[in-house]
Amino acid sequence: MSYNSTGTIITRLTVKYQVTCAAQCANQFTNCNTAVFDSLTIPQCSLYSESVTPANLTVSMNTIVYDFQQSKLPATPSLYRWNTTGITVAGASNGSGGTSANLLYEPYGTALGSFNSLYIADFNNNRIQKWMINESNGTTVAGLSNGTAGASSIALTLPVSVVLDSNDNMYFTDRDNHRVVYWANGASSGTTIAGILGVSGSTNNTFYGPCGIARDSSTGTLYIADTFNHRIMQYLMNASSGTVVAGGNGPGTGVTQVSQPYGFTFDSSSNSLLIANYPNNNIVRWVLGAISWTLVIGGPNGLSGSTSTLLNNPVGITLDPRGNIYVADSGNHRIQFFVAGQSNGTTVAGVTGSPGIRQSQLNYPYWVIIDDQLNLYVSDTYNNRVQFFSHS
């Protein structure tokens, strides 16, 4: 297919999905204004610096044009479908928990590393496991491999969330040691970089049970869910103390409060945090520098439920390149997908209100992440496994 263009083509790429083509334009090339995806050609993705239109006004269903200047976007739901049968990629498929290398014990946060590696905060085993995709065993990369808890440069107590930098160095929350740890790739010990080992508190240099963590890769700034202090802290690179950027006004349902924030994500496009208010059963957006949040998903005043617009104890949350939201709706045993700007969700993994061990079921899923092909990795926490749901 040919195109009329008022601008210059930047590059052509071979990608699998339309949304990946759009994401390349939106996030990787600052001078890109239009992405054209055509599944009948190779390479399928063409990026332009200006608006383009098909030379022939009849556009095939295989061709989608993303015009970022005019905001002409395709209908989103057609791009987002997942296999509802999961594949166990870490832990035992039958739900068995344990300390051996092929088992997990209530996994929480996950992160994707290089060379098809998956990093898992193996919560009740007090360790971080590195699991190569398609392998049957994991390797302990932080903490003690036998699952023993501790408070030292080599031992952890209930780690919750892990993020990686471009070199697979780890930053993770060590919840019951009330700290954040930096652990270099391949190192045998870690360093406390936020909080005080074994000391809980509510000052700007202490935490009380930190859980979620996010990192701004462009600045090295860390955002840390100080869960039982009901706040999110910001730590600039190499800072010894932090700043409250969300909450800090005690637990509650008010617009200046957050309540037990476990998971959250940093949205660089809006310079904001999307926060899972666990007991309040909602997702709120807190723009950095603001004094209050706005409701994004869920009911008012802590209302819980299992409909498409309600949540029940949400824990983990992530975004894709188009700003769509994925929520680990733990109490409903499902992963909910919300198109950007919409509060009516779709269940894309698990069965609402039906915990179980089948590959189509989840049992209190606590975390969800996506890869660059929009495949889902779900911490099926009470089934002691991580499930993979392929994008179709």
Side-chain angles (χ1 to χ4, degrees), residues 31-103:
N31 60 333
C32 181
N33 285 292
T34 306
V36 177
F37 179 88
D38 189 344
S39 65
L40 297 182
T41 66
I42 293 179
Q44 304 99 321
C45 180
S46 300
L47 305 184
Y48 293 84
S49 61
E50 300 292 344
S51 299
V52 300
T53 55
N56 185 335
L57 293 179
T58 302
V59 183
S60 76
M61 290 301 292
N62 302 95
T63 305
I64 295 180
V65 178
Y66 301 81
D67 189 329
F68 289 94
Q69 286 185 325
Q70 302 298 322
S71 298
K72 295 174 183 175
L73 299 177
T76 305
S78 65
L79 302 180
Y80 294 90
R81 287 191 283 268
W82 288 265
N83 191 328
T84 57
T85 300
I87 299 171
T88 302
V89 293
S93 60
N94 66 4
S96 298
T99 60
S100 61
N102 66 326
L103 297 177

Side-chain angles (χ1 to χ4, degrees), residues 173-372:
T173 53
D174 187 14
R175 194 191 78 175
D176 278 21
N177 283 324
H178 311 292
R179 64 174 177 170
V180 173
V181 177
Y182 170 78
W183 200 296
N185 186 6
S188 58
S189 63
T191 303
T192 300
I193 58 170
I196 301 172
L197 175 61
V199 177
S200 64
S202 58
T203 61
N204 280 356
N205 68 334
T206 58
F207 300 111
Y208 182 21
C211 288
I213 186 170
R215 183 175 180 270
D216 182 350
S217 59
S218 64
T219 64
T221 298
L222 294 176
Y223 297 92
I224 301 150
D226 190 8
T227 303
F228 300 107
N229 278 325
H230 313 287
R231 63 186 186 179
I232 308 291
M233 301 294 291
Q234 179 192 65
Y235 271 72
L236 302 178
M237 182 180 286
N238 299 322
S240 58
S241 64
T243 303
V244 179
V245 291
N249 298 305
T253 59
V255 296
T256 65
Q257 298 172 301
V258 295
S259 192
Q260 290 183 33
Y262 280 85
F264 70 96
T265 190
F266 173 64
D267 181 6
S268 59
S269 67
S270 59
N271 198 38
S272 67
L273 303 174
L274 282 166
I275 304 167
N277 261 329
Y278 175 77
N280 289 347
N281 306 299
N282 61 25
I283 306 297
V284 300
R285 183 184 299 276
W286 199 304
V287 176
L288 295 179
I291 61 172
S292 62
W293 51 256
T294 57
L295 181 66
V296 177
I297 299 165
N301 301 315
L303 177 67
S304 67
S306 58
T307 66
S308 61
T309 61
L310 295 177
L311 303 171
N312 184 10
N313 292 154
V315 181
I317 177 173
T318 196
L319 291 170
D320 69 23
R322 304 301 298 143
N324 303 308
I325 300 172
Y326 305 73
V327 179
D329 189 15
S330 72
N332 283 322
H333 312 289
R334 66 187 183 182
I335 304 301
Q336 289 294 91
F337 169 75
F338 296 86
V339 174
Q342 297 186 17
S343 58
N344 190 26
T346 302
T347 300
V348 293
V351 180
T352 300
S354 179
I357 198 64
R358 296 199 304 270
Q359 294 296 298
S360 61
Q361 292 178 300
L362 302 169
N363 190 3
Y364 288 97
Y366 278 0
W367 224 260
V368 58
I369 59 173
I370 58 172
D371 63 18
D372 59 4

